[in-house]
Amino acid sequence: MIILCSLFFLWSCEDELPQNKKTDNELLLKNTSSKVTLPCSTPSIYSGMLEFTDEKQFYCYYDYLTEVASTPNDDMSENDFLLEVEQVMGLNSLRADAFAKFEQKNAIGWASYQEIPEEHWITSNILRSILNVNREVKVGNYVLKYINPEFIVSVKADHSEVMKKVDALGDHPTLEQILELDPLREIISVSSPKILKREFGTVDFADAKGIRGTPIPLQIFRLSGTVYENFICGNPGKVKFEGFTLSRLSVPQQARYRIEFNDGTNAAAEFMLLPNQYILPAIEHVYPATNTTYHPTIKVKSISPYSNASAWNVVQTYNVYVRSMDQSCSSDARGALKDLVINSSNVLRGKVDYYNWSAFPFINPRSSLAGWTELHHIDSNGNWNRRKDKKTTLCVKFLEGKLYQANFSTPINSSFCTDPIYLPVEYECRSNTNQKRMEKHMGMYNTNTYAKAMLSFLTVQHEVGTSDGVNGSFKQTIYGCP
C-alpha cells in the first residue's frame, strides 16, 4: 500500500509539472488586461532580474510583450499593460524606473520642446520592460548587463564578484578596462550593439558559436581579439584591430605586436605593451580599395623568459571585407528627430530607426524598425510637456519601403544587395498615450540562418489628431543599402 501510494504521488507530480507551467502562463495573462497568449513558460526571478533558460525563451517573452503592448485599449496605455506584467513577475524594471523619472520631470515641464528628452538611451520600451533597474537580465548561464550604447557585457552567473568589478567601472568604461578584468576571456564576453560582429567572447562562447573573435589555442600560447570593418558613411575602408591579448598557460603576457596590413603597400605597425599592460589598445587602419577582402596578419611575441627571441609565438591571419557605400548609405540607418510645428502651442515630433538589433551576443541579430511619434504642447503654466490626453490619437503609417537580403556567413561580396523585398503598407493608431511607439521585427527572409534583412529605404508618415482640433502629419524617409 505504501509503495502504491508513493507511485501515485510520483505520477501526480509528473502530471502536475506541465499543468503548473500552463497555470503560470494563465496567471500571467489573467493579471494583465491583454488577450494575448504566452506560448512559452514564464521567466523566473534571479537576484532581482528576469531569468531565461535560453535565447529561445527570451525572444518568445520579448515577442509576447511586443504584442501585449500593441493591443489597442482606450483605458490602458502601453506602459499600463507592461506595468501589469512586471508586477505579476515581481520585477522592478528599467522601463518603470525610467518612466517614473521622466514623468516627474514632465510634470515640471521644459523651457522648450527641443529639451524634452527620450526616457532612456535604450530606446526599446519592450527591452526596458525586461531589464531590471540595473539594466541586467540572465539568459542561460550568463548575466547580461547593458553598460551604455557602446557595450553589452555578459558574465558567467557564478562569478558575481566579476560583475561587481564591471559595475565599479561606471557607465563609461573603455573596452581595455573591461577586458583587463578577464584577460583570458574565460568569464566575460563583450559585444557592441552598434557594430555588427564586434564581439569578444569567452572560450565556451567560441565552442557554442563557432566563428567569433575569441581565444584560439596555438601551441602553448593563445591569442584573442577581433578584426572588423568600422564602416562610416562617406569614409569607407576603415578597419579596427581591437582587444588583442596574448596568454600562456592561463597567464596574460606582456607582448610585442606586429600588424601587417597586407594592403599592397607593405604597410605595417609594431607595438610594445608597457609594464602591467596586457590588452593591446585599439588600432585603426584605412585600406586603399573598397569592395575588397583583405588578409591582415598579426604576429605576437611574449616578452618573457618563455619566448624565443628569434621567432614569433603566434602568427595569425584574418579576413576582413571592406565595403563601398556613398554618403547616404548605411547598414544601420537612423532617422533624425523631425518636428512639425502645428501652431504656437503644439509640436508633432517623430523619429524612426532601422537596425540589426541583438539583445545579447549569443545569436544573430534581428533586423528591426523602431521609433516613436509624440505630441508636445504648452501647459497652463507655460511649460512644454508631452501631451497627456485620452482623446489624442497618434498614428504611424509605413508608406513604402524596400529591404535586401544579405548573407554574412562569408565575407560580404558583390551580392551584398540582392533579392529586394518590398514592405507592405501598414497603418497603426493609438489613443490614451504619451507617444506612439513602433517596433517591428523584419526577421529572416530565407532559410540561411546567417541571412539578415538590409534596409534600402523606408518612408514613414507620423500623424496626430485631438478632440480640440490639434492635428497634423509629416513624412520621414531613411536610407540604408543602395
Side-chain angles (χ1 to χ4, degrees), residues 15-290:
D15 184 61
E16 190 176 347
L17 289 176
Q19 185 63 35
N20 282 343
K21 179 178 178 181
K22 180 180 179 182
T23 303
D24 287 342
N25 293 351
E26 289 178 347
L27 178 63
L28 179 61
L29 297 170
K30 188 182 298 183
N31 280 272
T32 62
S33 302
S34 172
K35 303 298 183 182
V36 181
T37 58
L38 176 63
C40 57
S41 59
T42 58
S44 55
I45 293 291
Y46 171 88
S47 297
M49 68 188 78
L50 290 185
E51 178 180 18
F52 298 89
T53 56
D54 52 27
E55 302 89 347
K56 183 178 180 180
Q57 185 192 13
F58 176 95
Y59 276 123
C60 173
Y61 186 73
Y62 185 99
D63 292 338
Y64 163 75
L65 291 186
T66 301
E67 195 170 353
V68 165
S70 64
T71 303
N73 190 304
D74 290 335
D75 298 321
M76 296 184 68
S77 68
E78 175 182 292
N79 281 299
D80 293 333
F81 277 121
L82 295 176
L83 178 61
E84 278 201 358
V85 177
E86 293 159 10
Q87 289 176 336
V88 172
M89 295 303 304
L91 176 70
N92 294 321
S93 73
L94 174 64
R95 182 211 58 79
D97 182 67
F99 182 71
K101 290 177 179 177
F102 177 87
E103 289 293 85
Q104 185 177 11
K105 294 179 180 178
N106 193 47
I108 301 172
W110 285 266
S112 66
Y113 69 86
Q114 292 95 335
E115 295 180 12
I116 304 179
E118 175 59 278
E119 289 163 19
H120 199 272
W121 56 263
I122 296 178
T123 57
S124 169
N125 212 26
I126 306 304
L127 182 56
R128 293 201 298 244
S129 187
I130 292 175
L131 300 175
N132 67 8
V133 291
N134 296 320
R135 307 186 297 276
E136 298 169 328
V137 64
K138 184 173 183 287
V139 182
N141 296 322
Y142 292 86
V143 172
L144 285 74
K145 183 179 181 70
Y146 281 64
I147 295 183
N148 53 39
E150 185 79 10
F151 297 122
I152 302 173
V153 173
S154 307
V155 176
K156 287 186 176 180
D158 56 354
H159 286 76
S160 58
E161 76 285 356
V162 176
M163 182 59 83
K164 291 179 181 178
K165 293 180 180 179
V166 172
D167 292 336
L169 294 176
D171 293 338
H172 303 286
T174 64
L175 177 64
E176 289 74 28
Q177 287 176 318
I178 300 172
L179 296 181
E180 286 284 3
L181 300 177
D182 179 31
L184 300 180
R185 317 292 171 82
E186 294 177 344
I187 301 171
I188 293 178
S189 176
V190 184
S191 69
S192 171
K194 295 172 61 178
I195 302 176
L196 191 65
K197 293 187 176 179
R198 179 189 177 191
E199 298 172 11
F200 311 87
T202 59
V203 175
D204 53 334
F205 274 12
D207 294 340
K209 295 167 59 178
I211 300 174
R212 282 295 187 207
T214 50
I216 300 175
L218 287 176
Q219 298 178 353
I220 63 173
F221 286 95
R222 188 172 70 189
L223 176 66
S224 59
T226 188
V227 180
Y228 64 95
E229 179 199 27
N230 187 24
F231 175 77
I232 299 176
C233 282
N235 185 21
K238 184 182 291 186
V239 170
K240 267 196 174 183
F241 301 77
E242 194 167 17
F244 278 93
T245 308
L246 182 72
S247 59
R248 177 190 182 275
L249 301 178
S250 298
V251 178
Q253 302 283 295
Q254 292 182 50
R256 173 190 168 198
Y257 288 81
R258 177 178 172 81
I259 302 178
E260 297 176 353
F261 300 113
N262 295 334
D263 59 2
T265 65
N266 295 322
E270 293 199 18
F271 306 89
M272 188 82 73
L273 295 186
L274 300 174
N276 299 318
Q277 183 181 8
Y278 300 104
I279 309 294
L280 182 69
I283 307 299
E284 289 187 349
H285 179 71
V286 178
Y287 280 91
T290 56

Side-chain angles (χ1 to χ4, degrees), residues 276-313:
N276 299 318
Q277 183 181 8
Y278 300 104
I279 309 294
L280 182 69
I283 307 299
E284 289 187 349
H285 179 71
V286 178
Y287 280 91
T290 56
N291 293 330
T292 304
T293 299
Y294 289 96
H295 308 281
T297 298
I298 299 182
K299 300 178 179 179
V300 192
K301 183 183 297 184
S302 173
I303 307 172
S304 72
Y306 307 108
S307 180
N308 183 346
S310 62
W312 297 100
N313 299 127

